[in-house]
Amino acid sequence: MSDTLSQIATTLRDANTIAVASHVRPDGDSIGSIVALGRSLALAGKTVHIISEDEVPGNLTFLPGTELIQRADGQALNIDVAVALDTATKPRLGDRVNASMGSAPMLVNIDHHGTNPNYGHLNFIDITYPATGEIVYELLSHHGFPLDDGIRQNLFAAISTDTGSFQYDNTSPRTHRIVAEMMEQGLDTAELARRLYQSHPLRRTLLLKALLNEMKLTCDGRIASWALTMDTQKAVQMEPGDTEGLIDSLRTIEGVIAAVIFEDMTDGKVRISARSKDPRLDVSKVCAEFGGGGHRMASGARMPGPIHTAEARFLDSLQNEIKRLS
């Protein structure tokens, strides 16, 4: 059973030194959430460490406060409370982050993934929130923590990116009310949307070109997939964050109900991102077969390489799951 945001708010108010972190390979929801919460706690007079296992993706560095994020070095921090945001399992924080936050007597776990096992001392897990940024907004706005324009920018980035720019079916009336409230408080959502979705580097367009040239349609056109090899990554000089949103180019194909991107990793593993367009198709169930998880319609996993072996194994399981829908 989840603890309440009131309990978490009290814990944060009583703490002096707090560390805030999110999952490896951070995305818009994770970066926006940790910066928003970290900035607000700092404005409330707390000593705050905003840490990450990996660097901030280049497409998000324009957000105010991302320069405050420090790469975790594995050295134990002297903190009263550690806060994990948008991270379904504790190992997903990363080895160095876990080492840095491990001495905290209190771990707060705030997330919206149904596979989260409540690994914190205090846990607020609610799958009805399409983005952890929505939970952070309610924590801050309903419990008297500071909110400024920089915090709102990060929360908008968190909410917008995890809802597919408000296109996914997890977007709720509450989502739009939160954004409307921030707009009423002066947030320029048009400029933020331009920076998030209309300012991509050329190398991302080159990745899109490769995707369109190399994508595969299988299962009678119901699965669209792409294998992003290390050779392609090197050819375009890919940087973290460059693949954000590319999977939507596969999802939009008429007749496709599942989109998958397989990405070569430097450690020899293959990162899998899977999306469903059919509410009956639970891609988290398929990802769980390979040690992954996430949401019913957006999930991921990591598998041993080589990439085309992982691709064949995963697509075989996904195809079997789709056939069961018939």
Side-chain angles (χ1 to χ4, degrees):
M1 181 177 178
S2 279
D3 299 291
T4 67
L5 288 181
S6 294
Q7 290 173 285
I8 292 172
T10 298
T11 296
L12 295 176
R13 272 194 294 268
D14 290 345
N16 293 315
T17 305
I18 302 167
V20 183
S22 189
H23 57 77
V24 297
R25 291 290 296 260
D27 56 13
D29 192 18
S30 57
I31 293 296
S33 294
I34 63 173
V35 173
L37 181 59
R39 280 175 62 105
S40 181
L41 292 172
L43 288 173
K46 311 298 180 181
T47 299
V48 181
H49 303 274
I50 309 175
I51 60 175
S52 176
E53 189 81 4
D54 298 317
E55 64 186 69
V56 179
N59 63 312
L60 298 173
T61 54
F62 76 91
L63 291 169
T66 54
E67 71 280 358
L68 302 175
I69 299 176
Q70 299 175 324
R71 293 286 295 277
D73 58 11
Q75 298 299 309
L77 293 168
N78 183 17
I79 52 178
D80 302 316
V81 175
V83 183
L85 295 173
D86 195 41
T87 306
T89 62
K90 194 174 180 182
R92 281 276 289 160
L93 289 165
D95 292 340
R96 293 189 302 276
V97 167
N98 274 308
S100 294
M101 301 201 311
S103 61
M106 171 64 68
L107 174 61
V108 175
N109 171 23
I110 299 174
D111 189 27
H112 66 137
H113 295 96
T115 54
N116 193 303
N118 291 347
Y119 56 81
H121 300 106
L122 284 176
N123 302 279
F124 186 90
I125 316 299
D126 191 332
I127 63 173
T128 69
Y129 287 84
T132 298
E134 276 196 27
I135 305 175
V136 174
Y137 177 83
E138 294 206 342
L139 172 64
L140 301 181
S141 64
H142 294 179
H143 297 280
F145 290 98
L147 273 167
D148 64 10
D149 189 67
I151 293 169
R152 294 186 191 98
Q153 288 185 49
N154 279 277
L155 291 174
F156 178 84
I159 295 167
S160 178
T161 55
D162 240 34
T163 58
S165 193
F166 312 100
Q167 297 178 73
Y168 298 161
D169 63 358
N170 59 2
T171 306
S172 70
R174 176 179 57 204
T175 308
H176 290 293
R177 283 195 292 268
I178 287 172
V179 174
E181 287 176 12
M182 293 196 293
M183 291 178 72
E184 288 166 352
Q185 294 157 5
L187 184 67
D188 186 348
T189 57
E191 174 61 15
L192 280 169
R194 186 186 69 79
R195 299 291 297 273
L196 285 168
Y197 304 115
Q198 300 173 27
S199 300
H200 297 306
L202 175 61
R203 59 182 182 273
R204 185 185 182 280
T205 302
L206 295 176
L207 283 173
L208 176 60
K209 176 183 177 183
L211 179 151
L212 296 175
N213 283 331
E214 300 166 6
M215 56 166 278
K216 298 177 182 177
L217 289 174
T218 53
C219 195
D220 298 322
R222 289 178 289 181
I223 300 174
S225 64
W226 177 46
L228 173 53
T229 64
M230 192 60 67
D231 286 344
T232 298
Q233 295 175 43
K234 290 177 179 178
V236 304
Q237 299 181 308
M238 191 181 93
E239 294 185 9
D242 286 347
T243 60
E244 189 74 24
L246 286 178
I247 200 166
D248 292 331
S249 298
L250 300 175
R251 288 179 73 254
T252 58
I253 299 170
E254 185 178 4
V256 166
I257 64 171
V260 190
I261 289 181
F262 303 91
E263 180 184 339
D264 256 336
M265 308 291 291
T266 54
D267 62 2
K269 293 185 178 181
V270 178
R271 178 176 180 252
I272 298 162
S273 299
R275 301 289 184 269
S276 170
K277 272 170 58 179
D278 187 330
R280 298 176 302 157
L281 176 61
D282 184 355
V283 289
S284 71
K285 180 179 177 182
V286 181
C287 288
E289 294 180 28
F290 303 98
H295 302 292
R296 182 179 186 86
M297 301 187 73
S299 195
R302 294 194 180 198
M303 296 175 62
I307 190 168
H308 293 298
T309 300
E311 176 186 27
R313 290 179 60 205
F314 187 89
L315 290 180
D316 183 61
S317 292
L318 179 58
Q319 185 162 320
N320 287 337
E321 187 64 25
I322 289 175
K323 287 179 179 178
R324 279 195 281 269
L325 303 179
S326 304

